[in-house]
PDB file of all heavy atoms in Angstrom:
ATOM      1  N   PRO A 350      -1.115  -2.672 -18.644  1.00 80.00           N
ATOM      2  CA  PRO A 350      -0.846  -2.083 -20.019  1.00 80.00           C
ATOM      3  C   PRO A 350      -1.866  -0.839 -20.146  1.00 80.00           C
ATOM      4  O   PRO A 350      -2.799  -0.712 -19.540  1.00 80.00           O
ATOM      5  CB  PRO A 350      -1.229  -3.272 -20.907  1.00 80.00           C
ATOM      6  CG  PRO A 350      -2.177  -3.991 -20.111  1.00 80.00           C
ATOM      7  CD  PRO A 350      -1.661  -3.927 -18.668  1.00 80.00           C
ATOM      8  N   SER A 351      -1.343  -0.021 -21.125  1.00 68.00           N
ATOM      9  CA  SER A 351      -2.351   1.059 -21.520  1.00 68.00           C
ATOM     10  C   SER A 351      -3.595   0.467 -22.160  1.00 68.00           C
ATOM     11  O   SER A 351      -3.686  -0.704 -22.630  1.00 68.00           O
ATOM     12  CB  SER A 351      -1.617   1.931 -22.546  1.00 68.00           C
ATOM     13  OG  SER A 351      -1.350   1.280 -23.736  1.00 68.00           O
ATOM     14  N   GLU A 352      -4.665   1.336 -22.158  1.00 62.00           N
ATOM     15  CA  GLU A 352      -5.834   0.768 -22.818  1.00 62.00           C
ATOM     16  C   GLU A 352      -5.641   0.456 -24.290  1.00 62.00           C
ATOM     17  O   GLU A 352      -6.146  -0.526 -24.732  1.00 62.00           O
ATOM     18  CB  GLU A 352      -6.876   2.065 -22.744  1.00 62.00           C
ATOM     19  CG  GLU A 352      -8.211   1.546 -23.375  1.00 62.00           C
ATOM     20  CD  GLU A 352      -9.281   2.799 -23.320  1.00 62.00           C
ATOM     21  OE1 GLU A 352      -8.990   3.802 -22.842  1.00 62.00           O
ATOM     22  OE2 GLU A 352     -10.362   2.558 -23.926  1.00 62.00           O
ATOM     23  N   LYS A 353      -4.765   1.203 -24.989  1.00 52.00           N
ATOM     24  CA  LYS A 353      -4.516   0.961 -26.360  1.00 52.00           C
ATOM     25  C   LYS A 353      -3.951  -0.490 -26.585  1.00 52.00           C
ATOM     26  O   LYS A 353      -4.273  -1.310 -27.484  1.00 52.00           O
ATOM     27  CB  LYS A 353      -3.572   1.894 -26.998  1.00 52.00           C
ATOM     28  CG  LYS A 353      -3.321   1.772 -28.524  1.00 52.00           C
ATOM     29  CD  LYS A 353      -2.431   2.819 -28.940  1.00 52.00           C
ATOM     30  CE  LYS A 353      -2.093   2.576 -30.531  1.00 52.00           C
ATOM     31  NZ  LYS A 353      -1.289   3.758 -31.155  1.00 52.00           N
ATOM     32  N   LEU A 354      -2.993  -0.865 -25.723  1.00 48.00           N
ATOM     33  CA  LEU A 354      -2.290  -2.092 -25.739  1.00 48.00           C
ATOM     34  C   LEU A 354      -3.268  -3.228 -25.385  1.00 48.00           C
ATOM     35  O   LEU A 354      -3.097  -4.352 -26.029  1.00 48.00           O
ATOM     36  CB  LEU A 354      -1.084  -2.059 -24.786  1.00 48.00           C
ATOM     37  CG  LEU A 354      -0.203  -3.312 -24.869  1.00 48.00           C
ATOM     38  CD1 LEU A 354       0.258  -3.699 -26.203  1.00 48.00           C
ATOM     39  CD2 LEU A 354       0.972  -3.282 -23.894  1.00 48.00           C
ATOM     40  N   ARG A 355      -4.097  -3.084 -24.408  1.00 53.00           N
ATOM     41  CA  ARG A 355      -5.109  -4.037 -24.038  1.00 53.00           C
ATOM     42  C   ARG A 355      -5.988  -4.304 -25.220  1.00 53.00           C
ATOM     43  O   ARG A 355      -6.343  -5.485 -25.452  1.00 53.00           O
ATOM     44  CB  ARG A 355      -5.963  -3.600 -22.818  1.00 53.00           C
ATOM     45  CG  ARG A 355      -5.164  -3.518 -21.513  1.00 53.00           C
ATOM     46  CD  ARG A 355      -6.173  -3.621 -20.300  1.00 53.00           C
ATOM     47  NE  ARG A 355      -7.104  -2.468 -20.411  1.00 53.00           N
ATOM     48  CZ  ARG A 355      -6.879  -1.302 -19.721  1.00 53.00           C
ATOM     49  NH1 ARG A 355      -5.780  -1.190 -19.099  1.00 53.00           N
ATOM     50  NH2 ARG A 355      -7.834  -0.374 -19.772  1.00 53.00           N
ATOM     51  N   ARG A 356      -6.463  -3.272 -25.964  1.00 54.00           N
ATOM     52  CA  ARG A 356      -7.344  -3.446 -27.129  1.00 54.00           C
ATOM     53  C   ARG A 356      -6.664  -4.188 -28.175  1.00 54.00           C
ATOM     54  O   ARG A 356      -7.212  -4.951 -28.976  1.00 54.00           O
ATOM     55  CB  ARG A 356      -7.916  -2.173 -27.537  1.00 54.00           C
ATOM     56  CG  ARG A 356      -8.766  -1.514 -26.599  1.00 54.00           C
ATOM     57  CD  ARG A 356      -9.376  -0.170 -27.109  1.00 54.00           C
ATOM     58  NE  ARG A 356     -10.355   0.456 -26.338  1.00 54.00           N
ATOM     59  CZ  ARG A 356     -11.576   0.190 -26.194  1.00 54.00           C
ATOM     60  NH1 ARG A 356     -12.138  -0.811 -27.035  1.00 54.00           N
ATOM     61  NH2 ARG A 356     -12.357   0.830 -25.324  1.00 54.00           N
ATOM     62  N   MET A 357      -5.332  -4.069 -28.306  1.00 49.00           N
ATOM     63  CA  MET A 357      -4.658  -4.644 -29.390  1.00 49.00           C
ATOM     64  C   MET A 357      -4.238  -6.066 -29.073  1.00 49.00           C
ATOM     65  O   MET A 357      -3.663  -6.666 -30.043  1.00 49.00           O
ATOM     66  CB  MET A 357      -3.354  -3.764 -29.740  1.00 49.00           C
ATOM     67  CG  MET A 357      -3.731  -2.433 -30.389  1.00 49.00           C
ATOM     68  SD  MET A 357      -2.154  -1.327 -30.387  1.00 49.00           S
ATOM     69  CE  MET A 357      -0.948  -2.351 -31.221  1.00 49.00           C
ATOM     70  N   GLY A 358      -4.509  -6.502 -27.930  1.00 50.00           N
ATOM     71  CA  GLY A 358      -3.959  -7.732 -27.473  1.00 50.00           C
ATOM     72  C   GLY A 358      -4.149  -8.927 -28.412  1.00 50.00           C
ATOM     73  O   GLY A 358      -3.157  -9.599 -28.691  1.00 50.00           O
ATOM     74  N   SER A 359      -5.266  -9.093 -29.066  1.00 44.00           N
ATOM     75  CA  SER A 359      -5.499 -10.287 -29.964  1.00 44.00           C
ATOM     76  C   SER A 359      -6.017  -9.778 -31.354  1.00 44.00           C
ATOM     77  O   SER A 359      -6.572 -10.550 -32.118  1.00 44.00           O
ATOM     78  CB  SER A 359      -6.486 -11.177 -29.279  1.00 44.00           C
ATOM     79  OG  SER A 359      -7.720 -10.704 -29.168  1.00 44.00           O
ATOM     80  N   ARG A 360      -5.865  -8.432 -31.591  1.00 45.00           N
ATOM     81  CA  ARG A 360      -6.336  -7.939 -32.905  1.00 45.00           C
ATOM     82  C   ARG A 360      -5.151  -7.750 -33.865  1.00 45.00           C
ATOM     83  O   ARG A 360      -4.007  -7.571 -33.528  1.00 45.00           O
ATOM     84  CB  ARG A 360      -7.098  -6.632 -32.718  1.00 45.00           C
ATOM     85  CG  ARG A 360      -8.218  -6.983 -31.671  1.00 45.00           C
ATOM     86  CD  ARG A 360      -9.022  -5.609 -31.412  1.00 45.00           C
ATOM     87  NE  ARG A 360     -10.155  -5.811 -30.580  1.00 45.00           N
ATOM     88  CZ  ARG A 360     -11.006  -4.898 -30.208  1.00 45.00           C
ATOM     89  NH1 ARG A 360     -10.951  -3.725 -30.776  1.00 45.00           N
ATOM     90  NH2 ARG A 360     -11.943  -5.091 -29.432  1.00 45.00           N
ATOM     91  N   PRO A 361      -5.518  -7.628 -35.253  1.00 44.00           N
ATOM     92  CA  PRO A 361      -4.497  -7.426 -36.278  1.00 44.00           C
ATOM     93  C   PRO A 361      -3.718  -6.160 -35.959  1.00 44.00           C
ATOM     94  O   PRO A 361      -4.541  -5.161 -35.601  1.00 44.00           O
ATOM     95  CB  PRO A 361      -5.120  -7.481 -37.538  1.00 44.00           C
ATOM     96  CG  PRO A 361      -6.387  -8.383 -37.220  1.00 44.00           C
ATOM     97  CD  PRO A 361      -6.767  -8.024 -35.846  1.00 44.00           C
ATOM     98  N   ILE A 362      -2.406  -6.052 -36.174  1.00 47.00           N
ATOM     99  CA  ILE A 362      -1.732  -4.811 -36.002  1.00 47.00           C
ATOM    100  C   ILE A 362      -1.082  -4.502 -37.479  1.00 47.00           C
ATOM    101  O   ILE A 362      -0.427  -5.233 -38.034  1.00 47.00           O
ATOM    102  CB  ILE A 362      -0.611  -5.052 -35.054  1.00 47.00           C
ATOM    103  CG1 ILE A 362      -1.146  -5.459 -33.600  1.00 47.00           C
ATOM    104  CG2 ILE A 362       0.251  -3.740 -34.871  1.00 47.00           C
ATOM    105  CD1 ILE A 362      -0.094  -5.845 -32.675  1.00 47.00           C
ATOM    106  N   ALA A 363      -1.376  -3.231 -37.993  1.00 49.00           N
ATOM    107  CA  ALA A 363      -0.891  -2.940 -39.179  1.00 49.00           C
ATOM    108  C   ALA A 363       0.310  -2.024 -38.978  1.00 49.00           C
ATOM    109  O   ALA A 363       0.355  -1.102 -38.217  1.00 49.00           O
ATOM    110  CB  ALA A 363      -1.906  -2.107 -40.015  1.00 49.00           C
TER     111      ALA A 363
END
Side-chain angles (χ1 to χ4, degrees):
S351 65
E352 179 183 358
K353 182 177 180 180
L354 182 57
R355 290 201 302 268
R356 291 182 178 275
M357 290 166 57
S359 62
R360 301 181 182 184
I362 304 170

